[in-house]
Amino acid sequence: MEVGAKRRQAGPADRLFVIALARGLSVLQAYSPGDDLLTNAELARRTRLPRPTISRLTYTLARLGFLASGSAGQGYRLEPHVLTLGFPVLARFDLRQVIRPMLQAIATEEGITAAIAMRDGAHMIFVDRFRAPGIAAFLQDVGTRVPIATTAIGRAYLAGLSEGERALLLSEIRAGGLPEWWPQLREGIERELARYRSRGFCFGGAWNPEMTGVGVPLALGNAPPAAISCTGPRARLDDARLEAIGERLKAIVRGLEKMPAGELRSGTQGRALP
């Protein structure tokens, strides 16, 4: 498994790029939801780094509190200290405090899941996730990354970008994937961009054949661009129901747009939308 999204290509002329730092971060990115202990051998396989390099990196990360070794010394697990890297980002996106009760209400009433996500390279990363009571817990929790090109929340994010920003991101997605898949991916993206122009929301694609969803972009004031979506089984969510849920998501965004900037920044919760 190749780890992480390459934000910059390091080369001989890229003297500012610190390879040792990039390698250390790739070790932290190698962990997936559900992982506990990973051995140096497994980390070497996932990061494609030499085992001696991995041994030095895991030792250093453990000394810094980001990793902890198992009781028998057979591997390393992530420590809660890793969360300190992401907390400043979540704190800056305090808009999610306002949206949280609204999305939870939709998830509960519709018997589905809802989410807020921000961009992470060619993926979206969940910064909040909600589910209806009784729905089995998913591995897709806060911190999970999903593809932009084939998910409702990713396509909604694309729809909310300017033409220039969208073109750059589509180029990155195309360069990072298999060439033979691009025509199909591009067709799905263009279809959902057209749906957004006519209806104001996007449907999901073929990332998970058993699930489907609907999403809308979220770009308010100085808040980082994001998207919100609702997801559920295809067997229960036909197009008509997805459209009705999409209208509810649009209403959330319209209401947020009418709220005073001070209330958005303060994270006011439970206030009825205009």
Side-chain angles (χ1 to χ4, degrees):
M1 175 175 72
E2 188 171 357
V3 178
K6 294 183 179 179
R7 304 304 180 99
R8 301 179 63 189
Q9 293 293 333
D14 195 353
R15 297 178 180 178
L16 296 178
F17 192 89
V18 182
I19 295 177
L21 175 60
R23 288 175 171 176
L25 292 174
S26 74
V27 172
L28 299 180
Q29 291 179 303
Y31 287 82
S32 300
D35 285 337
D36 186 22
L37 290 171
L38 293 182
T39 64
N40 283 339
E42 176 61 18
L43 288 169
R45 186 186 71 81
R46 294 189 182 190
T47 59
R48 301 180 182 178
L49 293 174
R51 284 189 62 177
T53 299
I54 289 294
S55 296
R56 294 193 298 272
L57 291 173
T58 52
Y59 173 82
T60 301
L61 290 168
R63 288 290 303 271
L64 294 174
F66 292 104
L67 296 179
S69 59
S71 57
Q74 296 301 308
Y76 292 88
R77 62 169 55 91
L78 292 176
E79 281 286 270
H81 187 58
V82 170
L83 299 176
T84 62
L85 298 178
F87 179 75
V89 177
L90 294 180
R92 185 166 59 98
F93 190 62
D94 51 7
L95 181 60
R96 69 193 182 100
Q97 304 294 339
V98 184
I99 305 173
R100 177 176 288 142
M102 307 172 197
L103 288 182
Q104 182 62 67
I106 295 179
T108 299
E109 293 167 18
E110 298 286 349
I112 54 178
T113 63
I116 310 171
M118 301 170 68
R119 181 190 170 192
D120 180 27
H123 291 73
M124 299 297 287
I125 187 168
F126 293 134
V127 297
D128 234 335
R129 191 134 168 96
F130 321 93
R131 65 177 186 272
I135 291 183
F138 291 98
L139 287 179
Q140 295 175 14
D141 208 333
V142 174
T144 299
R145 299 164 71 241
V146 297
I148 287 177
T150 56
T151 59
I153 205 162
R155 290 169 170 179
Y157 178 85
L158 276 171
L161 298 177
S162 68
E163 289 188 12
E165 292 170 330
R166 187 184 307 123
L168 288 173
L169 179 49
L170 289 175
S171 296
E172 181 178 329
I173 293 172
R174 181 176 185 176
L178 297 176
E180 60 268 27
W181 289 1
W182 177 244
Q184 182 179 355
L185 290 177
R186 183 60 187 252
E187 180 182 357
I189 291 169
E190 292 295 343
R191 182 186 65 247
E192 295 311 315
L193 291 178
R195 192 191 307 275
Y196 176 76
R197 288 191 292 268
S198 63
R199 300 299 305 274
F201 47 72
C202 298
F203 287 178
W207 183 62
N208 184 335
E210 297 181 357
M211 305 293 287
T212 189
V214 57
V216 300
L218 187 65
L220 300 172
N222 295 324
I228 56 177
S229 72
C230 289
T231 307
R234 288 184 183 273
R236 294 180 50 230
L237 295 179
D238 58 17
D239 284 1
R241 191 172 177 194
L242 283 177
E243 290 172 355
I245 296 171
E247 294 295 337
R248 295 187 68 177
L249 294 178
K250 286 167 54 180
I252 289 177
V253 176
R254 286 196 300 267
L256 292 171
E257 290 172 344
K258 296 178 182 179
M259 290 180 66
E263 291 189 19
L264 290 176
R265 287 194 300 270
S266 64
T268 304
Q269 299 187 49
R271 180 186 186 276
L273 290 176

